[in-house]
Amino acid sequence: MNARAGRAGRGGKGGKDGRTGLRSVAGQVFALEALIALLVIAAAVFVIFHQAQRDTERDARIRSLTVAEAFAHAPGVDDALTSPDPTAALQSRAEATRLATGVDFIAVLSPAGVRYTDSEPELIGRKATGDLSRATVDGESFTELFRGAPNDAVRAVVPVVDDQGRIVGLVSSGIEVQSITDAVQGRLPLLAGAAVGALALAVGGAGLVSRRLRRQTHGLGPAEMTRMKEHHEAVLHAVREGVLIVGPDQRLLLANDEARRLLGLSADAERRHVSELGLDPRTVELLTSGRAATDEVHRAGDRLLAVSVRPTLTAGAESGSVMTMRDTTELAAVTGRAAVARGRLQLLYEAGVRIGTTLEVVRTAEELAEVAVPRFADFATVELLEPVLRGEEPPADAATMTEMRRTALSGLRPDQPLQPVGDTIHFDVTGAPMAVALAAGHAVAQPELAAAEAWRTQDPEGAAQALAYGMHSLLTVPLLARGVVLGMANFWRADTPEPFGEEDLSFAEELAARAAVAIDNARRFTREHAMAVTLQRSLLPRVLPDQSAVDVAYRYLPAKAGVGGDWFDVIPLPGARVALVVGDVVGHGLHAAATMGRLRTAVHNFSTLDVPPDELLGHLDELTGRIDHRESEGPDAEGRRRDAGITGATCLYAIYDPASGRCTVASAGHPGPALVGPDGRVEFPELSPGLPLGLGLGDVPFETTELRLPEGSKLVLFTDGLLEDRGRDLDTGLALLGSTLARPDRSPEQTCADVLATLLSPSPRDDIALLVARTRLLDRERIAEWEVARDPSAVSPVRNAAAAKLSEWGLDGLAFTAELILSELITNAVRYGADPVRVRLLHDRTLICEVSDGSSTSPHLRHATTTDEGGRGLYLVAQYAERWGTRYARRGKTIWAELRADDTDAEPIAAAVVVPDLDALEDLAW
């Protein structure tokens, strides 16, 4: 009794010592944290001290060099150095500068290094030590750490150069090393105080941590805590009830031996997420939900477990959970039917996940057949009506459902006797299981196929082969969606001895109902996709127009997920120019295709105005904003705006002029083009991106960028679907596009093929529009230009020069018409326009006559009366020209007219017009 009391007394004393001394875990943690803090602070003080020394030395170099350069370049220093007595001229000045700048010395030296001035007068006349050749020979300013007489210092040496570029002397300034050391040592008290404060803070923090740890461990030492854990482990693993402890992050913290046995956990299960332990999904959901449970039955392999769960902390706090479990497998015999039902429910759940993963009718049917085999049937087939396969509405008349196309087949073995996919299956024998199911609208089971006379009559040869193969039971169910039959699903058993029974009908109907909804969704998508593709292809250009400015090749590919709103266009413009357009509408489907058509039509209409790209995009942006605003009015404004609005479209518009080789480009939120030079060098010119259409509303103007394109350059326009895809961002796509384009001597067609072969993914998420235009330059021999003085007498010489040029081009048959048009246009520009007046003839596919002047006033066509002396000018131009119009520039305008170069005998329809001679026309007013 006394011995036990003595041991207890010593244990109590030891426990007390452990709670207050370094023998406890808390005390050891405190000592370790304090030691670490001391070492870290000491290292920090050492690093900061040396860093301060380096910083001070660097500042000294900078200050010395600044003072020396300022003194060397000061006015009059070079003259003083060449004077008879430089010392008298510079000593006081140098000393004043030294006192003002705070350096320790400023010395002026001769090119040979002899001191003219110095802060210590006894050094004047002595030669400075050290290597000064960098300044005297190379003319270089430099700083150095000088060690030698009279004192170690950081000094700077700067040459003094006179007006002839000769080095007439040197200026040296610096700060002594001792001054630098004194400055650094002056910081030591502050640094030491900061270190002491940091150490006190660290020790105080360690004390707080140690105090909290002491409360949590009750002052126990390492040996006592180890012994306590051993007792805990022994008790935990000795009980015959499974225990799992899960942390707040749903990771397994502890599992005893019984839990490992019941759940089949591996040795490395700890610290893994509960979803990675291979548990039943219901069990995982229970552990991650945080709710409490008592004696819930869960499956673990072939066992049934009674599971109880409690949170480790009170409600409202982030908590883990403790789960206990008991093996109740002996109840499985009593609950056999429940297990079968649960298996069917699990299969239905998997069917909901696996069926309908794509919007393809055939693939959805294949997924239905794959889900049913082998857990429900040994073989499964799916037959669909022909209209369903095409995406059309299924027929409502039951008489048309006697034939279906076998769409999917799945089985345990490949050597099956059933008709292959693609065959037509007939259901025209009354009394056959398929015909009965179609007529009744629900599932029909045929437990014994050998006894099904009507089924054997349907296809005697095929039925005999199936029976010989071992097919013994059939369950057939119609695929119904919205009350309409889409097809049939047939389930067969050959290897499974149990035939289909009444308990299988409800499951088959539920499985078929889920699959029918997915098939109907896929059918609708197929129909909408086909309609959208048809609409989009009808809205995209089918044939590119004839023009001479560029050689063009293009590609358009719709996305696998659905047609989008990408588009491109090539639009001939007056003056042999051409507009290249590419755009993108956000979204897919009919709305995107229709929106694309609206925008393309608008671009065509605005291009007839012949305005610069930025103005055209401004008009398009304003139109888009008006449409969106109008369609967003009314009670269902938000829905209509979402479904029918245009906001989110981008556009890139470029105009190329083959006469000058210039290309002006503007963007409304669209990626810029790639420019490939004749040598294969690829550039991505910087453009002002602008806002997408409908967002600017005129408040943010678009900007143009002008590019100079050599002949043979390729301008590559594209939509972002070409660059971005799964696993590839825009920058990666641009780099890949650049490397693909960087090969010269390829036609636009070959360039398109190479780009798609490199960048196209198997299943693009977005539409792809690609336009490659190789530039041409109009032959300078086919361009004629004149500048016209604002004098009526200057019209005839220009007209005659134009006639001579037409004769040189072999267009004598157009001479009269061209002279007539030029006379009218030039006369109008001279009379009513402003300087400068210029005339240009372009011989392209047509003869283009252009007259430009500095006025923005536009002439208007009018019909003169019989009593008017003038007013017939533009009327004559309109009658004789193939086309004519006005183009405005930043300053002034250009009136142009086109004549067909291959129709030199054409006569205008102007019966009421009597054409006088050309000189007389110059006197007519417009």
Side-chain angles (χ1 to χ4, degrees):
M1 185 72 179
N2 294 334
R4 287 196 297 271
R7 285 195 297 271
R10 288 193 297 271
K13 183 178 180 180
K16 185 176 180 180
D17 292 341
R19 288 192 293 272
T20 58
L22 293 178
R23 291 174 56 188
S24 68
V25 173
Q28 293 176 10
V29 170
F30 172 80
L32 182 60
E33 288 185 345
L35 178 60
I36 292 174
L38 179 61
L39 293 177
V40 170
I41 292 171
V45 170
F46 177 82
V47 170
I48 292 173
F49 177 80
H50 284 273
Q51 182 64 39
Q53 191 170 14
R54 285 195 298 270
D55 292 344
T56 305
E57 182 179 329
R58 183 175 65 253
D59 293 343
R61 287 176 180 268
I62 295 172
R63 207 164 91 197
S64 300
L65 181 61
T66 303
V67 172
E69 285 183 339
F71 193 90
H73 299 151
V77 173
D78 54 345
D79 294 334
L81 285 171
T82 57
S83 65
D85 190 359
T87 300
L90 296 175
Q91 173 65 18
S92 59
R93 187 174 178 180
E95 188 63 16
T97 302
R98 180 185 71 81
L99 294 175
T101 58
V103 297
D104 290 337
F105 65 88
I106 296 179
V108 181
L109 314 177
S110 69
V114 178
R115 293 182 175 87
Y116 287 146
T117 71
D118 198 277
S119 56
E120 297 181 15
E122 61 270 14
L123 296 178
I124 296 176
R126 296 184 184 180
K127 186 174 182 179
T129 58
D131 184 9
L132 305 176
S133 60
R134 290 169 62 185
T136 57
V137 176
D138 301 331
E140 177 186 351
S141 301
F142 65 94
T143 62
E144 64 179 1
L145 180 60
F146 172 77
R147 297 192 181 278
N151 294 305
D152 296 345
V154 172
R155 73 175 181 180
V157 180
V158 177
V160 180
V161 182
D162 63 4
D163 295 339
Q164 285 74 34
R166 297 175 303 166
I167 298 175
V168 297
L170 307 174
V171 176
S172 174
S173 69
I175 299 174
E176 295 179 359
V177 172
Q178 185 60 42
S179 299
I180 296 174
T181 302
D182 293 343
V184 173
Q185 290 177 348
R187 302 181 185 179
L188 284 178
L190 179 61
L191 189 59
V196 171
L199 180 60
L201 184 62
V203 171
L208 292 176
V209 172
S210 176
R211 182 178 178 184
R212 180 175 180 83
L213 184 60
R214 184 179 294 112
R215 286 200 304 268
Q216 293 179 342
T217 61
H218 304 286
L220 296 176
E224 294 167 308
M225 294 189 67
T226 300
R227 186 163 58 249
M228 182 180 293
K229 184 178 185 301
E230 291 172 349
H231 294 166
H232 169 266
E233 292 286 340
V235 173
L236 185 65
H237 293 290
V239 298
R240 298 307 298 169
E241 190 172 57
V243 177
L244 289 183
I245 300 179
V246 179
D249 56 354
Q250 281 84 49
R251 293 184 179 275
L252 181 62
L253 299 180
L254 184 144
N256 68 352
D257 294 341
E258 182 67 6
R260 291 179 183 276
R261 183 185 70 83
L262 294 175
L263 300 177
L265 300 179
S266 59
D268 60 345
E270 274 81 1
R271 302 309 306 167
R272 292 171 63 182
H273 196 274
V274 294
S275 61
E276 302 172 358
L277 300 178
L279 304 179
D280 184 81
R282 287 186 62 244
T283 307
V284 174
E285 187 276 331
L286 177 60
L287 285 172
T288 57
S289 65
R291 64 183 178 88
T294 301
D295 290 337
E296 286 190 7
V297 178
H298 287 249
R299 179 174 292 277
D302 57 351
R303 294 185 176 89
L304 291 178
L305 306 179
V307 173
S308 299
V309 177
R310 292 292 183 274
T312 56
L313 296 178
T314 58
E318 185 177 0
S319 172
S321 58
V322 177
M323 184 174 77
T324 61
M325 63 200 77
R326 301 188 311 276
D327 188 356
T328 59
T329 308
E330 62 275 7
L331 298 177
V334 182
T335 57
R337 286 187 176 273
V340 173
R342 178 167 179 76
R344 295 290 172 83
L345 289 175
Q346 181 67 25
L347 183 57
L348 285 176
Y349 169 76
E350 294 181 9
V353 174
R354 294 174 56 185
I355 298 176
T357 58
T358 67
L359 288 173
E360 297 179 4
V361 174
V362 174
R363 180 55 193 154
T364 305
E366 292 173 349
E367 289 169 344
L368 169 59
E370 292 167 358
V371 164
V373 177
R375 294 169 61 180
F376 181 67
D378 298 333
F379 295 90
T381 61
V382 179
E383 292 79 39
L384 297 178
L385 293 167
E386 288 287 353
V388 174
L389 289 171
R390 296 192 298 267
E392 301 173 2
E393 287 289 339
D397 185 7
T400 62
M401 300 179 188
T402 57
E403 291 185 0
M404 295 186 186
R405 183 76 60 185
R406 178 150 290 170
T407 309
L409 189 155
S410 180
L412 294 176
R413 300 190 302 274
D415 57 334
Q416 42 78 27
L418 302 175
Q419 289 179 256
V421 172
D423 277 12
T424 300
I425 310 299
H426 297 275
F427 308 123
D428 51 4
V429 175
T430 305
M434 294 81 165
V436 173
L438 281 175
H442 58 72
V444 172
Q446 183 64 50
E448 295 294 334
L449 276 176
E453 293 295 336
W455 172 73
R456 298 172 66 178
T457 304
Q458 179 73 54
D459 182 9
E461 182 180 353
Q465 292 177 358
L467 292 174
Y469 184 81
M471 299 284 187
H472 63 84
S473 186
L474 167 66
L475 193 156
T476 181
V477 56
L479 299 175
L480 297 170
R482 298 175 291 111
V484 179
V485 175
L486 305 177
M488 294 286 297
N490 299 299
F491 305 104
W492 312 76
R493 282 184 179 174
D495 295 355
T496 303
E498 293 83 6
F500 288 110
E502 294 297 326
E503 67 277 4
D504 297 314
L505 296 179
S506 60
F507 170 78
E509 289 182 346
E510 179 66 22
L511 182 63
R514 298 191 181 195
V517 171
I519 291 173
D520 192 49
N521 290 337
R523 178 195 63 78
R524 293 184 177 191
F525 174 80
T526 301
R527 179 184 61 182
E528 181 178 341
H529 181 74
M531 293 172 60
V533 169
T534 303
L535 173 62
Q536 186 177 45
R537 293 198 181 279
S538 68
L539 295 175
L540 287 170
R542 299 183 181 182
V543 179
L544 295 182
D546 293 333
Q547 43 82 35
S548 304
V550 291
D551 294 325
V552 179
Y554 64 91
R555 295 290 188 275
Y556 173 80
L557 295 175
K560 292 292 184 182
V563 172
D566 292 12
W567 92 92
F568 64 92
D569 221 330
V570 178
I571 305 173
L573 297 177
R577 298 167 303 138
V578 65
L580 305 173
V581 192
V582 66
D584 187 0
V585 176
V586 174
H588 295 87
L590 288 173
H591 160 62
T595 301
M596 175 272 292
R598 298 166 77 181
L599 291 179
R600 179 170 177 255
T601 302
V603 170
H604 264 277
N605 291 335
F606 287 136
S607 67
T608 60
L609 300 177
D610 203 1
V611 294
D614 56 336
E615 293 186 26
L616 184 139
L617 291 181
H619 291 312
L620 193 62
D621 178 62
E622 183 182 359
L623 173 66
T624 303
R626 288 203 308 268
I627 293 176
D628 280 351
H629 178 71
R630 185 167 60 249
E631 293 178 346
S632 66
E633 297 175 349
D636 55 345
E638 185 62 30
R640 285 210 311 271
R641 180 173 178 83
R642 182 178 63 251
D643 297 335
I646 300 179
T647 301
T650 64
C651 183
L652 183 73
Y653 190 87
I655 297 178
Y656 173 68
D657 185 358
S660 62
R662 290 182 299 179
C663 180
T664 54
V665 188
S667 172
H670 198 86
L675 178 59
V676 185
D679 57 353
R681 186 167 59 91
V682 180
E683 299 179 16
F684 293 94
E686 290 288 339
L687 303 181
S688 176
L691 294 174
L693 298 174
L695 299 182
L697 301 179
D699 296 333
V700 181
F702 298 99
E703 298 181 12
T704 59
T705 300
E706 185 171 296
L707 307 174
R708 181 77 64 172
L709 306 183
E711 186 171 15
S713 301
K714 286 194 281 288
L715 196 64
V716 182
L717 283 67
F718 50 86
T719 55
D720 55 5
L722 179 68
L723 305 180
E724 297 180 311
D725 208 85
R726 297 177 179 88
R728 187 174 69 204
D729 58 15
L730 182 62
D731 293 336
T732 304
L734 281 174
L736 191 58
L737 176 62
S739 62
T740 305
L741 294 174
R743 293 199 296 272
D745 303 327
R746 287 183 301 174
S747 66
E749 277 290 337
Q750 186 61 46
T751 301
C752 286
D754 292 346
V755 168
L756 290 186
T758 303
L759 278 80
L760 183 63
S761 64
S763 298
R765 293 184 301 175
D766 197 2
D767 288 18
I768 294 174
L770 174 65
L771 187 66
V772 178
R774 183 171 58 192
T775 62
R776 299 174 181 169
L777 283 179
L778 196 61
D779 188 357
R780 298 305 302 176
E781 296 298 325
R782 286 175 167 256
I783 303 175
E785 297 180 281
W786 298 274
E787 187 157 348
V788 184
R790 292 196 61 207
D791 186 348
S793 62
V795 177
S796 294
V798 174
R799 187 183 67 211
N800 296 333
K805 180 58 70 173
L806 293 178
S807 178
E808 179 183 333
W809 289 342
L811 301 177
D812 297 280
L814 293 177
F816 175 77
T817 305
E819 290 183 63
L820 172 63
I821 291 174
L822 287 176
S823 294
E824 298 298 337
L825 298 182
I826 297 173
T827 301
N828 184 66
V830 168
R831 289 184 175 180
Y832 308 112
D835 287 330
V837 178
R838 294 187 178 90
V839 176
R840 184 171 73 163
L841 295 181
L842 301 176
H843 183 195
D844 189 35
R845 293 172 179 264
T846 60
L847 176 64
I848 304 168
C849 306
E850 295 182 346
V851 177
S852 306
D853 68 85
S855 171
S856 297
T857 303
S858 175
H860 297 282
L861 178 65
R862 67 187 182 92
H863 296 276
T865 64
T866 55
T867 59
D868 289 342
E869 295 184 3
R872 299 177 179 86
L874 278 184
Y875 179 70
L876 291 176
V877 172
Q879 293 297 319
Y880 277 86
E882 183 78 14
R883 297 191 305 158
W884 75 279
T886 305
R887 178 171 69 251
Y888 293 94
R890 300 298 180 190
R891 179 178 178 272
K893 66 178 180 298
T894 298
I895 304 178
W896 55 268
E898 289 187 6
L899 301 175
R900 292 177 56 183
D902 58 347
D903 191 7
T904 56
D905 297 330
E907 290 292 339
I909 303 174
V913 177
V914 179
V915 180
D917 62 80
L918 297 180
D919 291 327
L921 280 174
E922 297 173 8
D923 297 329
L924 295 178
W926 290 41

